[in-house]
């Protein structure tokens, strides 16, 4: 069974600060996705990274896929209260029928 | 706008009851999934289906069954609900399995008393 470890599990910071969330595995993934889940809602896809070393930016969010495709990070610049939520990474092993392997998530709270 | 609709946001059932959780998607997606989400355990795959009348076990299928009679509808069935099945249940769909975007419903919070 492939595992994805996310850290930190919980993070509470002030508005305007920067933060980084990590997603690590000993396994190689063909692609990795990041989702954000707000209270009372299902997860919503933010980005998919496919190539080792790839960096994608979504406004103040920067996503990076490790060179070996075993890890990823999400960096938020100047965090806003609207960034509050549960951030989930999900890896695709490329095996098809098994679907995605999800990390346990990082609970992020941005205090105004 | 694409949509995955779960029939109930909150359900309260008694131990031993048969429970049906319904999910409908309007995107003509081939694949549909049922996950449960528990604090500290993350999302765990219960069952998935890649075609009408087809089903595959996920990581934690025990105590659950599924039905997919029509492409747009995927039902999760708890044959005899137990307290350890109290959880948030999330339905999702995707066009292809693997690497493709999952569209999630808003979830059903099930409490079994």
């Amino acid at each position: 069974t492939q595992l994805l470890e996310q850290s930190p599990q919980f993070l509470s910071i002030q508005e305007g600060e920067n933060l980084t969330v990590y997603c690590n595995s000993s396994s190689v993934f063909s692609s990795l996705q990041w989702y954000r889940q707000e209270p009372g809602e299902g997860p919503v896809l933010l980005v998919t990274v496919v190539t080792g070393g790839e960096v994608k930016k979504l406004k103040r969010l920067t996503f990076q896929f490790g060179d070996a495709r075993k890890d990823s990070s999400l960096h938020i610049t100047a965090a806003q209260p609207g960034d509050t939520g549960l951030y989930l990474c999900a890896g695709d092993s490329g095996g098809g029928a098994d679907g995605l392997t999800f990390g346990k998530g990082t609970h992020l709270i941005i205090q105004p | 706008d694409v949509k995955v609709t779960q029939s109930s946001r909150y359900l309260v059932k008694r131990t031993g009851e048969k429970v049906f959780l319904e999910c409908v998607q309007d995107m003509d997606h081939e694949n549909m999934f049922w996950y449960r989400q528990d604090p500290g355990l993350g999302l765990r795959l219960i069952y998935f289906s890649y075609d009408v009348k087809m089903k595959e076990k996920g990581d934690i299928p025990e105590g659950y069954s599924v039905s997919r009679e029509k492409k747009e509808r995927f039902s999760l069935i708890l044959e005899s609900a137990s307290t350890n099945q109290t959880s948030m249940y999330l339905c999702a769909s995707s066009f292809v399995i693997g690497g493709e975007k999952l569209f999630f419903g808003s979830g059903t919070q099930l409490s079994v008393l």
Side-chain angles (χ1 to χ4, degrees):
Chain A
T1 302
Q2 295 179 304
L3 291 174
L4 275 170
E5 301 285 343
Q6 284 190 244
S7 62
Q9 189 176 358
F10 296 96
L11 184 59
S12 179
I13 62 172
Q14 294 295 124
E15 181 177 359
E17 293 184 20
N18 302 331
L19 67 108
T20 302
V21 174
Y22 300 93
C23 177
N24 296 301
S25 176
S26 58
S27 303
V28 175
F29 291 99
S30 60
S31 68
L32 197 136
Q33 301 176 5
W34 284 92
Y35 291 81
R36 180 169 67 207
Q37 184 177 17
E38 297 183 16
E41 298 296 328
V44 176
L45 181 70
L46 296 173
V47 77
T48 302
V49 285
V50 179
T51 306
E54 182 176 4
V55 176
K56 280 192 174 179
K57 292 195 174 185
L58 190 65
K59 297 183 180 178
R60 293 176 292 100
L61 279 61
T62 302
F63 304 85
Q64 186 162 6
F65 201 13
D67 292 339
R69 289 185 287 125
K70 293 182 178 181
D71 54 84
S72 182
S73 64
L74 158 60
H75 182 79
I76 301 179
T77 304
Q80 305 287 316
D83 296 327
T84 292
L86 175 66
Y87 288 81
L88 296 160
C89 64
D92 174 27
S93 63
D98 292 328
L100 297 173
T101 299
F102 279 87
K104 294 179 181 179
T106 294
H107 292 267
L108 176 62
I109 297 174
I110 310 301
Q111 313 262 15
Chain B
D1 229 3
V2 297
K3 211 164 183 183
V4 177
T5 302
Q6 293 185 231
S7 54
S8 305
R9 291 298 294 265
Y10 301 96
L11 272 180
V12 180
K13 297 292 181 180
R14 295 209 175 272
T15 302
E17 279 192 74
K18 191 169 185 176
V19 182
F20 293 86
L21 302 183
E22 307 286 347
C23 175
V24 177
Q25 50 98 359
D26 66 359
M27 296 166 280
D28 201 34
H29 281 169
E30 301 291 330
N31 311 301
M32 297 188 75
F33 305 81
W34 276 106
Y35 290 87
R36 64 178 283 177
Q37 185 176 30
D38 301 286
L41 296 177
L43 270 74
R44 293 180 290 166
L45 182 63
I46 304 171
Y47 268 97
F48 63 99
S49 167
Y50 52 87
D51 201 355
V52 175
K53 296 193 186 294
M54 305 302 288
K55 61 185 179 182
E56 293 285 343
K57 293 180 180 179
D59 299 319
I60 52 164
E62 296 79 19
Y64 303 93
S65 62
V66 290
S67 171
R68 193 160 180 209
E69 296 296 318
K70 293 184 178 181
K71 190 176 185 180
E72 67 270 18
R73 186 179 297 269
F74 192 33
S75 302
L76 180 68
I77 303 155
L78 287 65
E79 296 289 342
S80 177
S82 62
T83 54
N84 63 13
Q85 292 178 309
T86 291
S87 185
M88 169 67 80
Y89 289 88
L90 289 164
C91 174
S93 72
S94 73
F95 184 59
V96 295
I97 283 182
E100 186 68 17
K101 177 178 181 176
L102 283 180
F103 291 85
F104 283 89
S106 296
T108 296
Q109 179 62 52
L110 173 66
S111 296
V112 183
L113 306 178

